[in-house]
Amino acid sequence: MAGKFELKKSKNDKFYFSLLASNGQVILSSEMYEAKASAVNGIESVKKNGGDAARYDKLSAKDGSPYFTLKAGNGQVIGQSQMYASEATRDAGIQSCVNHAPGAAVVDQTAA
């Protein structure tokens, strides 16, 4: 099973997406978007930029937990990871994004 994007609608009628690895684990989540088209554009941006390891910023939360963000060519953050237990698992998460993002299918779960 390949990775996939899940496009969803929140309870407050905003749109967001997650990139899931082949094992079903969320490896990247988007911000909330007002319009579905904006979320779809965000997915396309992740597909375009996600295969480039240079687009990832390795960061640490206030509590020291490692995480990463993915930036578009214009420097805007287009996705953020979960918090990881170690830098090694964070780096593995980045590699998973690099591997999965460019060719991931989109599953639209907004039409309910």
Side-chain angles (χ1 to χ4, degrees):
M1 180 177 141
K4 65 181 177 180
F5 287 97
E6 287 185 346
L7 177 61
K8 297 181 179 182
K9 191 173 185 179
S10 68
K11 290 179 182 174
N12 62 351
D13 290 331
K14 294 186 186 239
F15 297 89
Y16 66 100
F17 62 85
S18 299
L19 174 61
L20 282 68
S22 53
N23 64 4
Q25 183 175 1
V26 174
I27 51 178
L28 188 77
S29 298
S30 75
E31 64 181 87
M32 293 289 181
Y33 295 93
E34 294 293 333
K36 182 177 178 177
S38 298
V40 170
N41 287 340
I43 290 171
E44 291 306 314
S45 186
V46 171
K47 285 184 170 193
K48 178 181 175 185
N49 295 288
D52 183 354
R55 298 269 190 230
Y56 294 88
D57 284 339
K58 298 177 181 182
L59 304 165
S60 295
K62 289 180 182 178
D63 69 358
S65 299
Y67 71 101
F68 65 85
T69 59
L70 172 61
K71 290 186 177 179
N74 64 4
Q76 182 178 352
V77 173
I78 50 178
Q80 180 176 313
S81 73
Q82 64 179 5
M83 297 298 160
Y84 288 94
S86 70
E87 291 181 4
T89 53
R90 178 206 48 215
D91 293 349
I94 291 172
Q95 190 58 52
S96 185
C97 273
V98 169
N99 293 342
H100 289 96
V106 178
V107 178
D108 186 345
Q109 298 181 344
T110 64

